[in-house]
Amino acid sequence: MPRLPVPFVGIGVIDGAQLVAGVLFHNYIPEFGSIEVSIAADTARWLSRDRVSLILGYPFRQLGCGRVSAAIMASNSRSIRLCMGLGFKREGLVRRGFGRDDAVILGLLREEWERGRYGNVS
């Protein structure tokens, strides 16, 4: 497994001259083939099939990961629905994982990604 030159990799999504989303890959563990992703966006406009395929395909195609994980505040139902729409599965709950809010743990496996609608975009 390749090593990251830094402990994280950030990807920005630009629409026109405006940054509309940021994606951060972090907590990469090459020995386990796993990495976490955090996404922040001002609008859903950044979502396109090609962008999602390129960005979320990065850990599978470039790093050879077998899984990508995300921890999302339980109160952020919109982000949970978005990730599940991208193919992530709900795997668990960390009580008070975000202070007073619980953390919903989602995961996406390589084979789920490859079979999904975003994994086979060239």
Side-chain angles (χ1 to χ4, degrees):
M1 295 257 174
R3 296 247 178 228
L4 291 176
V6 294
F8 57 85
V9 170
I11 300 171
V13 179
I14 308 255
D15 184 15
Q18 182 179 2
L19 179 66
V20 293
V23 180
L24 185 69
F25 291 101
H26 52 97
N27 293 338
Y28 175 50
I29 305 173
E31 298 84 347
F32 299 146
S34 68
I35 197 165
E36 291 182 40
V37 65
S38 297
I39 302 170
D42 288 336
T43 175
R45 285 188 324 219
W46 76 278
L47 287 168
S48 73
R49 190 169 178 193
D50 289 340
R51 284 179 177 164
V52 169
S53 178
L54 288 170
I55 293 170
L56 289 182
Y58 165 76
F60 299 119
R61 294 179 187 131
Q62 299 294 322
L63 300 178
C65 287
R67 70 170 287 116
V68 175
S69 302
I72 302 172
M73 289 178 141
S75 62
N76 191 346
S77 58
R78 197 166 150 196
S79 290
I80 294 168
R81 280 193 315 273
L82 167 67
C83 284
M84 293 182 80
L86 296 176
F88 283 77
K89 306 284 189 245
R90 185 178 172 137
E91 297 180 337
L93 182 80
V94 177
R95 295 179 302 152
R96 294 188 185 163
F98 287 109
R100 294 183 153 210
D101 203 348
D102 296 337
V104 174
I105 307 303
L106 301 168
L108 179 62
L109 302 179
R110 173 192 286 278
E111 54 271 21
E112 294 167 341
W113 174 256
E114 290 171 346
R115 284 193 313 260
R117 60 191 271 205
Y118 298 102
N120 54 20
V121 176
S122 303

PDB file of all heavy atoms in Angstrom, residues 1-4 7 25-36 63-67 69:
ATOM      1  N   MET A   1       0.836  -1.177   0.000  1.00  0.00           N
ATOM      2  CA  MET A   1       0.000   0.000   0.000  1.00  0.00           C
ATOM      3  C   MET A   1       0.883   1.243   0.000  1.00  0.00           C
ATOM      4  O   MET A   1       1.832   1.322   0.764  1.00  0.00           O
ATOM      5  CB  MET A   1      -0.871   0.037   1.248  1.00  0.00           C
ATOM      6  CG  MET A   1      -1.874  -1.057   1.357  1.00  0.00           C
ATOM      7  SD  MET A   1      -3.463  -0.396   0.926  1.00  0.00           S
ATOM      8  CE  MET A   1      -4.401  -1.860   0.947  1.00  0.00           C
ATOM      9  N   PRO A   2       0.539   2.218  -0.817  1.00  0.00           N
ATOM     10  CA  PRO A   2       1.306   3.462  -0.816  1.00  0.00           C
ATOM     11  C   PRO A   2       1.115   4.232   0.491  1.00  0.00           C
ATOM     12  O   PRO A   2       0.118   4.077   1.165  1.00  0.00           O
ATOM     13  CB  PRO A   2       0.719   4.254  -1.990  1.00  0.00           C
ATOM     14  CG  PRO A   2      -0.352   3.450  -2.580  1.00  0.00           C
ATOM     15  CD  PRO A   2      -0.511   2.190  -1.801  1.00  0.00           C
ATOM     16  N   ARG A   3       2.077   5.021   0.805  1.00  0.00           N
ATOM     17  CA  ARG A   3       1.990   5.901   1.977  1.00  0.00           C
ATOM     18  C   ARG A   3       1.623   7.298   1.512  1.00  0.00           C
ATOM     19  O   ARG A   3       2.045   7.733   0.443  1.00  0.00           O
ATOM     20  CB  ARG A   3       3.326   5.952   2.700  1.00  0.00           C
ATOM     21  CG  ARG A   3       3.730   4.633   3.267  1.00  0.00           C
ATOM     22  CD  ARG A   3       3.711   4.699   4.765  1.00  0.00           C
ATOM     23  NE  ARG A   3       4.051   3.414   5.306  1.00  0.00           N
ATOM     24  CZ  ARG A   3       3.354   2.839   6.259  1.00  0.00           C
ATOM     25  NH1 ARG A   3       2.305   3.429   6.755  1.00  0.00           N
ATOM     26  NH2 ARG A   3       3.699   1.679   6.729  1.00  0.00           N
ATOM     27  N   LEU A   4       0.848   7.985   2.328  1.00  0.00           N
ATOM     28  CA  LEU A   4       0.543   9.384   2.030  1.00  0.00           C
ATOM     29  C   LEU A   4       1.739  10.230   2.430  1.00  0.00           C
ATOM     30  O   LEU A   4       2.354   9.987   3.471  1.00  0.00           O
ATOM     31  CB  LEU A   4      -0.687   9.848   2.811  1.00  0.00           C
ATOM     32  CG  LEU A   4      -2.020   9.250   2.416  1.00  0.00           C
ATOM     33  CD1 LEU A   4      -3.113   9.759   3.360  1.00  0.00           C
ATOM     34  CD2 LEU A   4      -2.377   9.590   1.001  1.00  0.00           C
ATOM     35  N   PRO A   7      -0.321  13.451   6.578  1.00  0.00           N
ATOM     36  CA  PRO A   7      -1.316  12.619   7.262  1.00  0.00           C
ATOM     37  C   PRO A   7      -2.745  12.767   6.711  1.00  0.00           C
ATOM     38  O   PRO A   7      -3.648  12.121   7.198  1.00  0.00           O
ATOM     39  CB  PRO A   7      -1.244  13.078   8.708  1.00  0.00           C
ATOM     40  CG  PRO A   7      -0.551  14.385   8.690  1.00  0.00           C
ATOM     41  CD  PRO A   7       0.251  14.461   7.431  1.00  0.00           C
ATOM     42  N   PHE A  25      -9.480  13.373   3.197  1.00  0.00           N
ATOM     43  CA  PHE A  25      -9.191  11.982   3.516  1.00  0.00           C
ATOM     44  C   PHE A  25      -8.161  11.989   4.637  1.00  0.00           C
ATOM     45  O   PHE A  25      -7.130  12.645   4.528  1.00  0.00           O
ATOM     46  CB  PHE A  25      -8.645  11.242   2.289  1.00  0.00           C
ATOM     47  CG  PHE A  25      -9.677  11.042   1.215  1.00  0.00           C
ATOM     48  CD1 PHE A  25      -9.698  11.853   0.100  1.00  0.00           C
ATOM     49  CD2 PHE A  25     -10.628  10.037   1.332  1.00  0.00           C
ATOM     50  CE1 PHE A  25     -10.651  11.676  -0.890  1.00  0.00           C
ATOM     51  CE2 PHE A  25     -11.585   9.844   0.349  1.00  0.00           C
ATOM     52  CZ  PHE A  25     -11.595  10.664  -0.760  1.00  0.00           C
ATOM     53  N   HIS A  26      -8.433  11.244   5.701  1.00  0.00           N
ATOM     54  CA  HIS A  26      -7.568  11.266   6.884  1.00  0.00           C
ATOM     55  C   HIS A  26      -7.620   9.918   7.595  1.00  0.00           C
ATOM     56  O   HIS A  26      -8.416   9.051   7.251  1.00  0.00           O
ATOM     57  CB  HIS A  26      -7.984  12.408   7.826  1.00  0.00           C
ATOM     58  CG  HIS A  26      -9.444  12.389   8.164  1.00  0.00           C
ATOM     59  ND1 HIS A  26      -9.920  11.824   9.316  1.00  0.00           N
ATOM     60  CD2 HIS A  26     -10.523  12.837   7.483  1.00  0.00           C
ATOM     61  CE1 HIS A  26     -11.246  11.949   9.348  1.00  0.00           C
ATOM     62  NE2 HIS A  26     -11.635  12.551   8.244  1.00  0.00           N
ATOM     63  N   ASN A  27      -6.770   9.762   8.592  1.00  0.00           N
ATOM     64  CA  ASN A  27      -6.678   8.528   9.375  1.00  0.00           C
ATOM     65  C   ASN A  27      -6.453   7.300   8.488  1.00  0.00           C
ATOM     66  O   ASN A  27      -7.054   6.246   8.680  1.00  0.00           O
ATOM     67  CB  ASN A  27      -7.918   8.330  10.261  1.00  0.00           C
ATOM     68  CG  ASN A  27      -7.995   9.367  11.351  1.00  0.00           C
ATOM     69  OD1 ASN A  27      -7.000   9.973  11.729  1.00  0.00           O
ATOM     70  ND2 ASN A  27      -9.187   9.606  11.860  1.00  0.00           N
ATOM     71  N   TYR A  28      -5.554   7.453   7.541  1.00  0.00           N
ATOM     72  CA  TYR A  28      -5.195   6.372   6.618  1.00  0.00           C
ATOM     73  C   TYR A  28      -4.340   5.352   7.349  1.00  0.00           C
ATOM     74  O   TYR A  28      -3.344   5.694   7.981  1.00  0.00           O
ATOM     75  CB  TYR A  28      -4.435   6.973   5.440  1.00  0.00           C
ATOM     76  CG  TYR A  28      -3.880   6.009   4.430  1.00  0.00           C
ATOM     77  CD1 TYR A  28      -4.665   5.009   3.879  1.00  0.00           C
ATOM     78  CD2 TYR A  28      -2.561   6.118   4.000  1.00  0.00           C
ATOM     79  CE1 TYR A  28      -4.149   4.146   2.930  1.00  0.00           C
ATOM     80  CE2 TYR A  28      -2.036   5.259   3.042  1.00  0.00           C
ATOM     81  CZ  TYR A  28      -2.837   4.278   2.515  1.00  0.00           C
ATOM     82  OH  TYR A  28      -2.333   3.427   1.574  1.00  0.00           O
ATOM     83  N   ILE A  29      -4.742   4.091   7.275  1.00  0.00           N
ATOM     84  CA  ILE A  29      -3.974   3.001   7.872  1.00  0.00           C
ATOM     85  C   ILE A  29      -3.664   2.007   6.760  1.00  0.00           C
ATOM     86  O   ILE A  29      -4.477   1.140   6.431  1.00  0.00           O
ATOM     87  CB  ILE A  29      -4.750   2.318   9.023  1.00  0.00           C
ATOM     88  CG1 ILE A  29      -5.180   3.357  10.059  1.00  0.00           C
ATOM     89  CG2 ILE A  29      -3.884   1.220   9.660  1.00  0.00           C
ATOM     90  CD1 ILE A  29      -6.091   2.811  11.139  1.00  0.00           C
ATOM     91  N   PRO A  30      -2.484   2.142   6.144  1.00  0.00           N
ATOM     92  CA  PRO A  30      -2.148   1.292   5.003  1.00  0.00           C
ATOM     93  C   PRO A  30      -2.186  -0.203   5.316  1.00  0.00           C
ATOM     94  O   PRO A  30      -2.606  -1.003   4.484  1.00  0.00           O
ATOM     95  CB  PRO A  30      -0.738   1.722   4.617  1.00  0.00           C
ATOM     96  CG  PRO A  30      -0.435   2.960   5.367  1.00  0.00           C
ATOM     97  CD  PRO A  30      -1.417   3.083   6.477  1.00  0.00           C
ATOM     98  N   GLU A  31      -1.767  -0.574   6.524  1.00  0.00           N
ATOM     99  CA  GLU A  31      -1.745  -1.993   6.901  1.00  0.00           C
ATOM    100  C   GLU A  31      -3.145  -2.613   6.877  1.00  0.00           C
ATOM    101  O   GLU A  31      -3.290  -3.810   6.636  1.00  0.00           O
ATOM    102  CB  GLU A  31      -1.147  -2.180   8.308  1.00  0.00           C
ATOM    103  CG  GLU A  31       0.284  -1.721   8.441  1.00  0.00           C
ATOM    104  CD  GLU A  31       0.438  -0.220   8.707  1.00  0.00           C
ATOM    105  OE1 GLU A  31      -0.521   0.551   8.555  1.00  0.00           O
ATOM    106  OE2 GLU A  31       1.550   0.184   9.061  1.00  0.00           O
ATOM    107  N   PHE A  32      -4.151  -1.813   7.144  1.00  0.00           N
ATOM    108  CA  PHE A  32      -5.533  -2.299   7.155  1.00  0.00           C
ATOM    109  C   PHE A  32      -6.284  -1.913   5.889  1.00  0.00           C
ATOM    110  O   PHE A  32      -7.419  -2.326   5.683  1.00  0.00           O
ATOM    111  CB  PHE A  32      -6.290  -1.759   8.367  1.00  0.00           C
ATOM    112  CG  PHE A  32      -5.710  -2.176   9.686  1.00  0.00           C
ATOM    113  CD1 PHE A  32      -5.753  -1.322  10.765  1.00  0.00           C
ATOM    114  CD2 PHE A  32      -5.117  -3.421   9.855  1.00  0.00           C
ATOM    115  CE1 PHE A  32      -5.227  -1.707  11.992  1.00  0.00           C
ATOM    116  CE2 PHE A  32      -4.586  -3.810  11.073  1.00  0.00           C
ATOM    117  CZ  PHE A  32      -4.646  -2.945  12.154  1.00  0.00           C
ATOM    118  N   GLY A  33      -5.668  -1.094   5.047  1.00  0.00           N
ATOM    119  CA  GLY A  33      -6.330  -0.652   3.820  1.00  0.00           C
ATOM    120  C   GLY A  33      -7.570   0.173   4.093  1.00  0.00           C
ATOM    121  O   GLY A  33      -8.577   0.054   3.398  1.00  0.00           O
ATOM    122  N   SER A  34      -7.490   1.029   5.111  1.00  0.00           N
ATOM    123  CA  SER A  34      -8.660   1.834   5.463  1.00  0.00           C
ATOM    124  C   SER A  34      -8.292   3.307   5.590  1.00  0.00           C
ATOM    125  O   SER A  34      -7.147   3.660   5.868  1.00  0.00           O
ATOM    126  CB  SER A  34      -9.280   1.340   6.775  1.00  0.00           C
ATOM    127  OG  SER A  34      -8.422   1.598   7.863  1.00  0.00           O
ATOM    128  N   ILE A  35      -9.304   4.139   5.357  1.00  0.00           N
ATOM    129  CA  ILE A  35      -9.141   5.593   5.445  1.00  0.00           C
ATOM    130  C   ILE A  35     -10.493   6.186   5.800  1.00  0.00           C
ATOM    131  O   ILE A  35     -11.532   5.573   5.550  1.00  0.00           O
ATOM    132  CB  ILE A  35      -8.601   6.163   4.105  1.00  0.00           C
ATOM    133  CG1 ILE A  35      -8.028   7.568   4.295  1.00  0.00           C
ATOM    134  CG2 ILE A  35      -9.666   6.120   3.014  1.00  0.00           C
ATOM    135  CD1 ILE A  35      -7.169   8.040   3.112  1.00  0.00           C
ATOM    136  N   GLU A  36     -10.482   7.362   6.396  1.00  0.00           N
ATOM    137  CA  GLU A  36     -11.725   8.072   6.707  1.00  0.00           C
ATOM    138  C   GLU A  36     -11.880   9.259   5.760  1.00  0.00           C
ATOM    139  O   GLU A  36     -10.888   9.806   5.273  1.00  0.00           O
ATOM    140  CB  GLU A  36     -11.715   8.571   8.148  1.00  0.00           C
ATOM    141  CG  GLU A  36     -11.802   7.457   9.164  1.00  0.00           C
ATOM    142  CD  GLU A  36     -11.842   7.967  10.585  1.00  0.00           C
ATOM    143  OE1 GLU A  36     -12.530   8.992  10.843  1.00  0.00           O
ATOM    144  OE2 GLU A  36     -11.176   7.356  11.438  1.00  0.00           O
ATOM    145  N   LEU A  63      -4.831   4.524  -3.609  1.00  0.00           N
ATOM    146  CA  LEU A  63      -4.221   4.008  -2.389  1.00  0.00           C
ATOM    147  C   LEU A  63      -4.427   2.507  -2.219  1.00  0.00           C
ATOM    148  O   LEU A  63      -3.786   1.896  -1.381  1.00  0.00           O
ATOM    149  CB  LEU A  63      -4.774   4.742  -1.160  1.00  0.00           C
ATOM    150  CG  LEU A  63      -4.541   6.256  -1.125  1.00  0.00           C
ATOM    151  CD1 LEU A  63      -5.186   6.852   0.111  1.00  0.00           C
ATOM    152  CD2 LEU A  63      -3.060   6.584  -1.183  1.00  0.00           C
ATOM    153  N   GLY A  64      -5.340   1.936  -2.985  1.00  0.00           N
ATOM    154  CA  GLY A  64      -5.616   0.506  -2.861  1.00  0.00           C
ATOM    155  C   GLY A  64      -6.375   0.132  -1.602  1.00  0.00           C
ATOM    156  O   GLY A  64      -6.292  -1.008  -1.137  1.00  0.00           O
ATOM    157  N   CYS A  65      -7.136   1.073  -1.049  1.00  0.00           N
ATOM    158  CA  CYS A  65      -7.889   0.805   0.179  1.00  0.00           C
ATOM    159  C   CYS A  65      -9.001  -0.212  -0.077  1.00  0.00           C
ATOM    160  O   CYS A  65      -9.545  -0.299  -1.177  1.00  0.00           O
ATOM    161  CB  CYS A  65      -8.512   2.091   0.729  1.00  0.00           C
ATOM    162  SG  CYS A  65      -7.318   3.211   1.476  1.00  0.00           S
ATOM    163  N   GLY A  66      -9.350  -0.932   0.976  1.00  0.00           N
ATOM    164  CA  GLY A  66     -10.471  -1.855   0.927  1.00  0.00           C
ATOM    165  C   GLY A  66     -11.728  -1.271   1.513  1.00  0.00           C
ATOM    166  O   GLY A  66     -12.807  -1.807   1.330  1.00  0.00           O
ATOM    167  N   ARG A  67     -11.572  -0.132   2.236  1.00  0.00           N
ATOM    168  CA  ARG A  67     -12.743   0.515   2.836  1.00  0.00           C
ATOM    169  C   ARG A  67     -12.498   1.996   3.086  1.00  0.00           C
ATOM    170  O   ARG A  67     -11.357   2.418   3.291  1.00  0.00           O
ATOM    171  CB  ARG A  67     -13.172  -0.158   4.136  1.00  0.00           C
ATOM    172  CG  ARG A  67     -12.239   0.026   5.296  1.00  0.00           C
ATOM    173  CD  ARG A  67     -12.822  -0.454   6.644  1.00  0.00           C
ATOM    174  NE  ARG A  67     -13.838   0.439   7.135  1.00  0.00           N
ATOM    175  CZ  ARG A  67     -15.107   0.125   7.305  1.00  0.00           C
ATOM    176  NH1 ARG A  67     -15.538  -1.074   7.059  1.00  0.00           N
ATOM    177  NH2 ARG A  67     -15.969   1.017   7.744  1.00  0.00           N
ATOM    178  N   SER A  69     -14.355   5.012   5.570  1.00  0.00           N
ATOM    179  CA  SER A  69     -15.291   5.223   6.672  1.00  0.00           C
ATOM    180  C   SER A  69     -15.631   6.699   6.795  1.00  0.00           C
ATOM    181  O   SER A  69     -14.835   7.559   6.424  1.00  0.00           O
ATOM    182  CB  SER A  69     -14.674   4.764   7.996  1.00  0.00           C
ATOM    183  OG  SER A  69     -14.304   3.414   7.938  1.00  0.00           O
TER     184      SER A  69
END
